[in-house]
Amino acid sequence: MDIDSTSVTKGSSCGLKENGMPLYPVSLYDSGEGLPYAPEDWPYPGDKWSWKVGGRIAASGYFLDRYMYTPARLREGGRKTGFASKLSLEQYIRKNFPDADVNAFFASFSWKIPSKSRMKDDIELFTPPRETAEHSGSDSQFDDICCKAGNRVCNSLSATEDSVSDVMSCDICCSEPGFCRDCCCILCCKTIKMAFGGYSYIRCEAKIDGYFCGHSAHIECALRAYMAGTVGGTIGLETEYYCRRCDSRTDLVLHVERLLQKCKSVDSRDDIEKILNVGICILRGSEKTSGKQLLHHIEMAMEKLRNGTELEDIWKEEDTAVTGGSTALAF
């Protein structure tokens, strides 16, 4: 998430305004410094914050992914601190500047950044999914009851008033007309599937200031975006999932353990292989003892499965060892 402050030249206004400031559109992955997309002269005169956008654009024309970076004076050891969400930036301000007016801080610039490429074909626009997860073909009078994403079996339809009140507010992805926090992936915006206990996605259950995050992501999307598994660099994940919305981390060893238990009740060899494949991709490269042991167990099960072992014998560990080392898998 490094930035190049020279990559953007402020162009003409696109007619949009935020917090009283005219906004100019930018291209995918552009970056820059200062107004209107980052604070200037805060907390002290001369301090200039930096910003960068990602590659996803909402149907409204604004970037879904945007990042903020501290000014040079606030960088510890010369390393800039980056924020992938509005919430993490707010928590940083409250912790390091307890006397600051957070509302005034965010009112001094525009968090929303419009894209100059929203009408081009080579970008990923956020649009409501055309297919819903586990869609029912019924023609009953209740067919029009669905969530924002058009999913008739979304968990949000059965949520109680108390459970809804426990969910943290979100004015970024959840403000989009076609996005449902309960059944849409925060990374690809498509609906998640509940098959076999939902092995293909992870839901963030972090508590933020007493509220439940609840945003979900496909495991495959998270792995491709280096937000899941064992990842080096500045993120530094160790068999974890990093939530794009709240910056919380989830231990994926526990997730794989649950997948393995669910897998033992599945009677389709193809489905078992899909689930084991996900588990191996999550655990690959783990330095945790629990992660290594679980990976070894899954690889043994995969070896037996591919050798035609009866399903009830796949999960027995005592008589089979993995041959040929780790199973090389890819999505």
Side-chain angles (χ1 to χ4, degrees):
M1 293 194 301
D2 290 344
I3 65 163
D4 177 5
S5 60
T6 63
S7 66
V8 170
T9 354
K10 295 185 180 180
S12 59
S13 168
C14 56
L16 299 174
K17 286 189 175 183
E18 183 76 12
N19 293 334
M21 291 175 286
L23 309 181
Y24 61 92
V26 306
S27 300
L28 275 68
Y29 307 107
D30 268 343
S31 58
E33 291 185 335
L35 296 174
Y37 304 129
E40 291 185 3
D41 299 322
W42 198 98
Y44 300 104
D47 288 342
K48 184 176 289 189
W49 296 61
S50 306
W51 58 268
K52 182 179 179 179
V53 295
R56 296 187 303 151
I57 303 169
S60 59
Y62 293 97
F63 282 95
L64 282 171
D65 305 318
R66 70 101 78 203
Y67 309 90
M68 186 81 80
Y69 300 89
T70 51
R73 194 181 59 80
L74 298 181
R75 296 173 185 172
E76 297 182 3
R79 297 180 60 184
K80 55 180 173 287
T81 301
F83 306 93
S85 67
K86 191 174 183 179
L87 177 62
S88 61
L89 176 56
E90 178 180 344
Q91 292 174 335
Y92 172 83
I93 297 299
R94 293 187 184 280
K95 176 182 178 180
N96 293 277
F97 305 95
D99 297 328
D101 185 335
V102 176
N103 293 329
F105 172 79
F106 282 103
S108 68
F109 65 98
S110 172
W111 183 262
K112 295 182 177 180
I113 302 180
S115 168
K116 64 168 60 173
S117 309
R118 65 170 298 189
M119 301 308 294
K120 293 184 180 179
D121 295 332
D122 58 347
I123 61 173
E124 181 180 349
L125 285 176
F126 175 96
T127 54
R130 294 183 180 180
E131 298 180 1
T132 59
E134 299 179 341
H135 180 278
S136 169
S138 170
D139 293 327
S140 74
Q141 60 179 324
F142 300 105
D143 278 357
D144 58 345
I145 301 177
C146 55
C147 70
K148 290 167 60 180
N151 185 3
R152 298 188 181 111
V153 293
C154 176
N155 289 334
S156 65
L157 301 180
S158 58
T160 64
E161 185 176 344
D162 289 341
S163 64
V164 172
S165 64
D166 288 339
V167 177
M168 64 179 260
S169 60
C170 171
D171 59 356
I172 303 176
C173 51
C174 291
S175 65
E176 293 296 325
F179 183 88
C180 173
R181 182 200 321 239
D182 289 274
C183 69
C184 289
C185 171
I186 194 174
L187 298 175
C188 74
C189 303
K190 296 178 181 178
T191 48
I192 59 179
K193 295 182 179 180
M194 307 296 180
F196 306 116
Y199 78 92
S200 63
Y201 75 94
I202 181 74
R203 188 183 304 279
C204 179
E205 300 179 352
K207 281 282 189 175
I208 310 297
D209 295 330
Y211 293 94
F212 173 61
C213 175
H215 287 79
S216 302
H218 290 116
I219 292 292
E220 179 178 351
C221 291
L223 287 168
R224 290 185 182 277
Y226 301 103
M227 291 184 175
T230 298
V231 181
T234 55
I235 294 180
L237 299 179
E238 170 52 73
T239 326
E240 297 170 300
Y241 163 66
Y242 178 86
C243 178
R244 176 67 179 79
R245 177 61 187 94
C246 72
D247 299 320
S248 297
R249 298 164 185 250
T250 301
D251 183 0
L252 289 180
V253 172
L254 298 177
H255 181 76
V256 176
E257 288 177 348
R258 289 193 292 268
L259 296 188
L260 193 57
Q261 290 303 315
K262 176 62 65 174
C263 197
K264 293 178 181 180
S265 63
V266 177
D267 57 8
S268 165
R269 304 183 78 89
D270 288 341
D271 291 331
I272 291 175
E273 184 170 352
K274 289 178 182 177
I275 299 175
L276 293 180
N277 194 3
V278 170
I280 290 176
C281 289
I282 290 174
L283 297 171
R284 185 188 292 122
S286 175
E287 293 298 325
K288 293 180 179 179
T289 300
S290 57
K292 290 180 178 180
Q293 292 175 344
L294 187 56
L295 177 61
H296 180 67
H297 180 40
I298 293 178
E299 286 178 329
M300 286 197 299
M302 180 70 84
E303 189 74 13
K304 293 179 182 181
L305 181 70
R306 291 177 172 176
N307 287 337
T309 303
E310 293 296 327
L311 294 184
E312 60 267 23
D313 296 327
I314 288 176
W315 314 110
K316 297 178 181 179
E317 302 180 62
E318 65 276 5
D319 58 355
T320 305
V322 177
T323 59
S326 299
T327 307
L329 298 169
F331 285 113

